[in-house]
Amino acid sequence: MADPDARRLLWFLFAGSRGGENRIRIIDLLKEQPYNTNQLAEKMGLDYKAVQYHMTVLEKNNMVTKAGEKYGVLYFISNYLEHNIDAFYEVKAKIDRKARK
């Protein structure tokens, strides 16, 4: 069972703010493999600065971790998110259902 604080944080990051949809897409990509900011921007068709902003928000909230330096930095989903991944899927599913209405 997910930590209730984690669930609240996930709601805030992914449903309660304008960039939530892009942050969900970023997490979905990082679950498959690590990426750097430039690779994410290319893969998502977004501006580098926009992806950089989302990565900062996700890192500050312990959703992603990074390894490497400067342009070689690779992002991974964090152990915290890994531990609360069911809550992430739950929030994502509810957001998807709302979007389809």
Side-chain angles (χ1 to χ4, degrees):
M1 176 92 174
D3 161 5
D5 291 335
R7 189 172 280 114
R8 271 193 294 279
L9 179 60
L10 291 166
W11 271 108
F12 168 74
L13 287 173
F14 301 114
S17 58
R18 281 183 52 206
E21 190 179 306
N22 284 329
R23 290 196 272 272
I24 286 172
R25 288 174 59 206
I26 289 169
I27 296 299
D28 283 340
L29 287 169
L30 292 178
K31 281 187 312 200
E32 294 170 21
Q33 71 179 64
Y35 286 97
N36 68 30
T37 306
N38 196 49
Q39 291 166 326
L40 285 168
E42 259 179 47
K43 195 131 175 104
M44 296 174 69
L46 292 174
D47 181 65
Y48 178 87
K49 289 281 189 197
V51 173
Q52 194 174 40
Y53 168 76
H54 291 305
M55 296 314 294
T56 301
V57 170
L58 290 169
E59 189 179 4
K60 223 187 305 188
N61 288 283
N62 199 22
M63 296 291 123
V64 298
T65 57
K66 64 184 178 184
E69 292 178 24
K70 299 192 179 171
Y71 292 107
V73 168
L74 285 178
Y75 288 93
F76 304 80
I77 68 168
S78 68
N79 290 336
Y80 178 76
L81 179 56
E82 191 84 56
H83 183 75
N84 291 289
I85 202 73
D86 289 341
F88 170 78
Y89 288 130
E90 185 185 308
V91 168
K92 182 181 170 189
K94 286 181 181 172
I95 293 167
D96 286 347
R97 280 197 297 274
K98 277 185 187 171
R100 278 188 250 124
K101 285 184 180 177

